[in-house]
Amino acid sequence: TAQVTCSAWGGRVKDVKRRPTTHPQFVTGGQDGLRYWDLDPMHGLTSEPCFTSTQKRVYTCIAFSEAEDLIFAGTLTGDFVVLNTPRRLSTGELERIQLRSSVMVCSG
């Protein structure tokens, strides 16, 4: 069983026109990487891994951007990754983004 050390609520999944749907979304992290969760009222809870790199990382904290289109995840070694929420792939570019500190949940 995977140990979850952090999680973040990400509001609602957005459709192709960037409108919120009825599906809540959140991300969990830990020793086995990051996992994206989608709660579809019609089909139930689904999850899929987030692809960050070939290196194994232990994630300790996660936050969504204010627009809920990016995920920031910090690791045990002090580095962090930025993920594009719609595709859940690691992105190479950083922008000036205001974080909601209320969504951060970190392990001790």
Side-chain angles (χ1 to χ4, degrees):
T1 317
Q3 180 182 0
V4 173
T5 56
C6 54
S7 63
W9 166 255
R12 306 253 180 221
V13 174
K14 304 240 181 354
D15 65 14
V16 294
K17 293 185 178 181
R18 304 213 19 88
R19 298 175 298 205
T21 65
T22 58
H23 306 203
Q25 66 179 349
F26 62 97
V27 175
T28 58
Q31 293 179 343
D32 292 332
L34 297 172
R35 198 148 191 92
Y36 173 83
W37 299 82
D38 176 354
L39 180 54
D40 182 339
M42 299 299 288
H43 299 101
L45 184 65
T46 59
S47 73
E48 59 186 82
C50 299
F51 301 105
T52 56
S53 76
T54 56
Q55 294 180 348
K56 184 170 171 103
R57 294 185 165 112
V58 178
Y59 291 94
T60 58
C61 59
I62 303 172
F64 277 83
S65 64
E66 186 71 33
E68 298 169 345
D69 59 345
L70 295 174
I71 301 165
F72 298 88
T75 70
L76 191 62
T77 59
D79 57 340
F80 67 96
V81 296
V82 180
L83 302 167
N84 183 332
T85 305
R87 293 184 309 225
R88 287 162 302 283
L89 298 172
S90 183
T91 179
E93 60 185 74
L94 295 175
E95 302 174 23
R96 255 185 123 161
I97 296 170
Q98 182 179 3
L99 290 178
R100 287 188 297 175
S101 59
S102 62
V103 298
M104 292 182 121
V105 179
C106 298
S107 65

